[in-house]
Amino acid sequence: MTPWMWRRLAQTALEEDVGFGDLTTDATVPPGQTGSLALVAREPLVVAGLPVVPAVYEALDPAVRVDLLVADGTRLGRGDVLARVRGPARALLTGERVTLNVLQWLSGIATATRAVVDAVAEWDVDVLDTRKTRPGWRAFEKYAVRVGGGKNHRFGLDHAVLIKDNHIAAAGGVAEAIRRARRAAGPTVFVEVEVDNLEQLEEALTAGPDGVLLDNMDPATLQEAVRRAQGRVWTEASGGIRPESVRDVARTGVNAISLGWLTHSAPAVDIGADWEAP
Amino acid sequence: MTPWMWRRLAQTALEEDVGFGDLTTDATVPPGQTGSLALVAREPLVVAGLPVVPAVYEALDPAVRVDLLVADGTRLGRGDVLARVRGPARALLTGERVTLNVLQWLSGIATATRAVVDAVAEWDVDVLDTRKTRPGWRAFEKYAVRVGGGKNHRFGLDHAVLIKDNHIAAAGGVAEAIRRARRAAGPTVFVEVEVDNLEQLEEALTAGPDGVLLDNMDPATLQEAVRRAQGRVWTEASGGIRPESVRDVARTGVNAISLGWLTHSAPAVDIGADWEAP
Amino acid sequence: MTPWMWRRLAQTALEEDVGFGDLTTDATVPPGQTGSLALVAREPLVVAGLPVVPAVYEALDPAVRVDLLVADGTRLGRGDVLARVRGPARALLTGERVTLNVLQWLSGIATATRAVVDAVAEWDVDVLDTRKTRPGWRAFEKYAVRVGGGKNHRFGLDHAVLIKDNHIAAAGGVAEAIRRARRAAGPTVFVEVEVDNLEQLEEALTAGPDGVLLDNMDPATLQEAVRRAQGRVWTEASGGIRPESVRDVARTGVNAISLGWLTHSAPAVDIGADWEAP
Amino acid sequence: MTPWMWRRLAQTALEEDVGFGDLTTDATVPPGQTGSLALVAREPLVVAGLPVVPAVYEALDPAVRVDLLVADGTRLGRGDVLARVRGPARALLTGERVTLNVLQWLSGIATATRAVVDAVAEWDVDVLDTRKTRPGWRAFEKYAVRVGGGKNHRFGLDHAVLIKDNHIAAAGGVAEAIRRARRAAGPTVFVEVEVDNLEQLEEALTAGPDGVLLDNMDPATLQEAVRRAQGRVWTEASGGIRPESVRDVARTGVNAISLGWLTHSAPAVDIGADWEAP
Amino acid sequence: MTPWMWRRLAQTALEEDVGFGDLTTDATVPPGQTGSLALVAREPLVVAGLPVVPAVYEALDPAVRVDLLVADGTRLGRGDVLARVRGPARALLTGERVTLNVLQWLSGIATATRAVVDAVAEWDVDVLDTRKTRPGWRAFEKYAVRVGGGKNHRFGLDHAVLIKDNHIAAAGGVAEAIRRARRAAGPTVFVEVEVDNLEQLEEALTAGPDGVLLDNMDPATLQEAVRRAQGRVWTEASGGIRPESVRDVARTGVNAISLGWLTHSAPAVDIGADWEAP
Amino acid sequence: MTPWMWRRLAQTALEEDVGFGDLTTDATVPPGQTGSLALVAREPLVVAGLPVVPAVYEALDPAVRVDLLVADGTRLGRGDVLARVRGPARALLTGERVTLNVLQWLSGIATATRAVVDAVAEWDVDVLDTRKTRPGWRAFEKYAVRVGGGKNHRFGLDHAVLIKDNHIAAAGGVAEAIRRARRAAGPTVFVEVEVDNLEQLEEALTAGPDGVLLDNMDPATLQEAVRRAQGRVWTEASGGIRPESVRDVARTGVNAISLGWLTHSAPAVDIGADWEAP
């Protein structure tokens, strides 16, 4: 995560929210007034997104001083303070909502990921995200997954090959699809194939992919699939997996479990800003 | 919602996902191949975001034909088809994930909003959103709220005045804060004040705001607050309200209920793409 | 007005003017040379736009030191110095024209607004701008109006409802138009209706808008319109009003007078840059 | 003037004005309704900016049909129709103000330029603009000058050399400044020098520039300057020249007269949009 | 390569070249005139970049008709026609240079790559590019390599791991560096290590990377390195390899050869535009 | 060359290369580690592009300290150090490739230009570039030409008039074409005409252009052309001129020689980064 990513996130959010100006703050708070905001966890959470705090306030006023009291990935309890922001009161208030929005969103993903990772800690399995993310902010949502202890599946369509049913149909079979992918994509590219049942799996294994995505299989089928693939290819379970079903999947022995839920449906966590006398 | 908003959303999502190119599709699907995708509801939902479908496919290939079978706001059951997309198979497959991501996200908000609106249908109360939205996509998330039957609170800091505790403290009192806001903000600007208890409410009412936000009050206090405000000022209940508590709030007689939950935590709904023989 | 607005204004102007490079300065002025520029009022004026001065020079060379000697809104006489800029001579000269262009333009609007505001000072009436501004720079032109003592009408089409003849025709009458606006637009949105004569005014008043725009009425009609509206609705006079006719309008008792002239036709004021021995 | 310039102008203006949506039109006008707008001159003028009309409406709705009835540069009388726009009523109304703003602004410049050009028609002299233009829109303001019969001075700092007092001081004399400019700037670059009096003129002439800018000289001095320069160098009069003084300047025999006033202070002309039954 | 990539390339080039307008064409060619341009190879070449032709002319004038007579990857002889462009003469001439610039540049890379690929055709070895490309146009330069028969190494720093000396030093050894990379980077990421000699190679092999980059080795050392690595890991030769030395490298049996020269130094090929009577 | 040009170049290159993150560096190098990189010439060269070094590293980490040891235009031998970069090891390694890419590319152009300029040093002739540059980076490629001792021909289509065959055909003759150009283009614009033979030259000379481009003439014809043009018009030789033929052209007495080769085909020079113990 580079500095300009956080600056672009902060700038986009600020321009959208402030528009022609913060009518309330500009009207009610005198320019010279100073103050302090404490950003506080209102429930237990794993924090993610703290670099947005300085990015927001640098854009608003270089006179604001930001102290980050913890680092991304820290588990916090209700009432713990994440950061303290001091300086011109106008900037503090104008940037407050935008800052909290980012923290609540990314910490929500990190907190949910951490819970899933902890739930499967007894097995040697990676918890992965998917490409089911919000437009333009995938780097952040995938970062929050890493902060929560998960690992990232491919970032985009140019990062790895993932051959699905439709690609197979179009290519005239699994072997041909994999051969085409190998020929076109360059030697550093990972080639994975999605299979829906054991027959497809057997067919795929003959073609030597780097990995297989075992899609929407019940635990028994999954276990059999893992047994057949073991030692030959990397295995990933995917398809409608939720936090409550993840342990059943993990115990089948798959190498990785991917959950779209981590990024498209994890609820925000509650983080607030308390005004402190300057 | 103007055409360029949907185009920007689609373009942002496509550029992020496609990057240097769709390795899988370009390798496995021949250029001349055609096909058809049906976008299908995998669970009951209120659909929102359909204009993104043509926006995505126009950007990928003008030869793709998009048929929208329903309109935003329609309630669908499991298996209902939202849209059908026909044409060059490469474009269909490259745009699939991006299209579904937007539909699942916005329909999730619309579906959740509709449930809340239905839950309070017996009272004369507006269900409102907040500014707790993802950076840059507020227009879309607030649009989804409208699609679900909700109404929009202010779009940004330049659209209306909402005076909070910190503003009041800075201004030296409610009356002074409102006076300053009226003086600065232009005659078309709505002036609302947030109050935490009945004493603050009384003080605020003397200053003649256009509205009061009753923050985090229990139902009994809320009811008393509404009684005192009635006929004098517009009232809004806010603060940690969830779908399960919304009826208790509605029956107090407030004019509006605002829920950050609608935009920051409504889960995605499941929408898939089925390949159909061309 | 946030820092990034001034930076974008300065950057846009600089990139346009400098292009591939300042041929004259780069050729004739050695890199090491330093100097000082005084920005001077060449005629009486109300200054607006001073934050552009540091924004221009930060973009050109952080070694330039900018001292603003007055603040936006100050009335200056011929020969008064607005600001002094010291440092590398190349940067000083390259940024000179761009800086003056912004100051002359915005101070022109502020100066014209101040003259109108002063002309109607004996009545309790707001002087308002309109949406008749240059593409992309509305925030600045409306800021200059505020600097000159005016107030802002709505910033854009999403900030307030203003129903005109054509909207009324399309909606099938004033009452229906207002009802539709109320239903769609959210509780914080101001609803105003434009009327051309007393019959339209009466019809509009029955529908309970927040304000009426009295368009292109002669003083006598305007006075009668204000009499009928008083105590029921906020009134605004508009339509071809010029500085020379503004007092005749003000004495009718309207709450506000809006003039497109302030932004689309106020002439620039003359501001120059004098070189001072370093 | 390329197509993308007009598209960018239109898009910038629309995004700024529409923001999150046109509340009034979306609320009061049904989607299916159609209509027609006639763009009408409300006073005599020279029209400039017509290409913005299709650019605005293509961005809003491709179903809108635009008919331009005249071409940029045409002289129109009060009541003459510039263009007719037909189609979806929502798009017509949403784009109306933005379209008129551009037409009024650019036609104002063209009309003012035409008046000055006509005033000096009996002499062989060019009427020129300057770099005193609004940020980012110089191409349009200079285009309007051409439409009005004027010619363009340099577009920006990279287009020609114009050596002013400060450059001369920095370079240690006129001859040295010109020599430096010739050495650095490439053979296709025009080299002009600003002089304030006859002594400076003589000094400049010895160095062989391509042109001299005679700054702020009274008519008598100007005439003498032109006499001395004639046959040796191109001459331009500049500095505070207004429409009312332009004939006195023209009769001195200068090759060109430049007026910042054309772009920074020409008032807008009045153009309106009349609704016509569809 | 998606449509928007070619559009952005064309738009960037046009805006830079046209600036405020094409002075020559606008002055000398009447608006109504039409014509035809044939794009012709002036030397033998492999063509790359043809999609830029319609992208340039759509931006200039939709009335221009573009006929591509060959496809990217075709080998052409001197005098062969690549494409024919017909329509408004102004657009044809304004877009000519920009179009040729892109074709000459990308065809230069494709032509050079094809020569290298042909030179090593008798061995089973991939010809690869590197990240040594021009800012912002990597996708195009790597596309031209593919057009010429080469394959792409990683697109960017986020696509694969390539551990170099400095990374190894920082990590405290090869094994630790690879372990860290595996832990952090996600299961689909290729992990390659650069080694300078046989000792480093042995050390690297114990850690099980996916590939080794054999840097700047003479043919004899390279051959020995390949012998030791064979069957255990994918091998790539790199470092200062030029077309004239590529056969000596290929016969060592490496799996791939990468050449920065393909993108940073391949000379442009000569392509011209011949005017044809309309 | 302004600061924002270098920042945009650096930012574009970094965003393209880093994408979602530098997988290798982030995985293998701990955050706290520091180091030093020396940028070293691996062959004799004329350096160009040094301002990109601070621009890259400011974008990555303000804690990096950049020391430029030479200035653009310096001739360096193999092993000479251009710059030293110290600070956080992660930033040093992430920015290395991008920095070298720019330096190798621009120094390649400067080195090639310098060789050509030196080759013709005994004649009074300018070495010029053309518009044959990469999209969006013309300012940099033309800057590198200046750094190498060359001069710039026009920057773009809006900077000067260059009438070619096709323009002449369209205008109905040379004299008419020049007259049209003079009438339209403003007094500061240079008007040049391309001629292919002596007859065209004679025709052109009667019309009084500022310069003639003598296209693709053999030395004898060129010499005769120069003889005829001398004292009447500035002369430029162009068309397929390479470093090896430049002296034959120079001795004909032309005022300038332009070579597209300088920017479209000059090979990169080799510059490396050596890690130094911190």
Side-chain angles (χ1 to χ4, degrees), chain E residues 109-253:
Chain E
I109 293 174
T111 302
T113 303
R114 172 50 62 195
V116 171
V117 169
D118 289 351
V120 300
E122 65 200 85
W123 296 280
D124 180 22
V125 61
D126 283 334
V127 173
L128 301 181
D129 53 26
T130 65
R131 284 163 48 239
K132 298 181 180 178
T133 57
R134 266 80 176 197
W137 306 129
R138 180 173 291 165
F140 295 92
E141 298 194 323
K142 284 184 167 266
Y143 165 75
V145 167
R146 292 199 303 277
V147 166
K151 295 182 82 168
N152 298 138
H153 207 295
R154 62 176 176 166
F155 285 103
L157 294 168
D158 59 341
H159 279 247
V161 165
L162 179 45
I163 301 169
K164 302 195 167 193
D165 296 30
N166 302 329
H167 300 106
I168 294 171
V174 159
E176 176 62 12
I178 294 177
R179 201 172 56 81
R180 290 186 186 173
R182 289 281 187 220
R183 198 168 49 215
T188 69
V189 173
F190 190 84
V191 175
E192 186 176 1
V193 185
E194 179 183 304
V195 298
D196 296 335
N197 52 50
L198 297 173
E199 293 67 44
Q200 282 193 338
L201 172 64
E202 290 294 346
E203 197 181 328
L205 288 176
T206 65
D210 296 316
V212 289
L213 183 153
L214 307 166
D215 190 36
N216 267 315
M217 292 183 179
D218 61 72
T221 312
L222 202 53
Q223 193 154 12
E224 175 59 19
V226 170
R227 198 191 57 78
R228 298 190 188 186
Q230 219 135 33
R232 302 167 67 188
V233 75
W234 177 86
T235 55
E236 170 190 2
S238 193
I241 301 171
R242 296 294 161 119
E244 45 278 15
S245 58
V246 74
R247 285 176 56 85
D248 291 339
V249 176
R251 67 167 53 90
T252 64

Side-chain angles (χ1 to χ4, degrees), chain B residues 190-206:
Chain B
F190 191 85
V191 176
E192 186 176 1
V193 186
E194 180 184 304
V195 298
D196 297 334
N197 53 50
L198 297 172
E199 293 68 42
Q200 282 194 337
L201 172 64
E202 291 294 347
E203 197 181 329
L205 287 176
T206 65

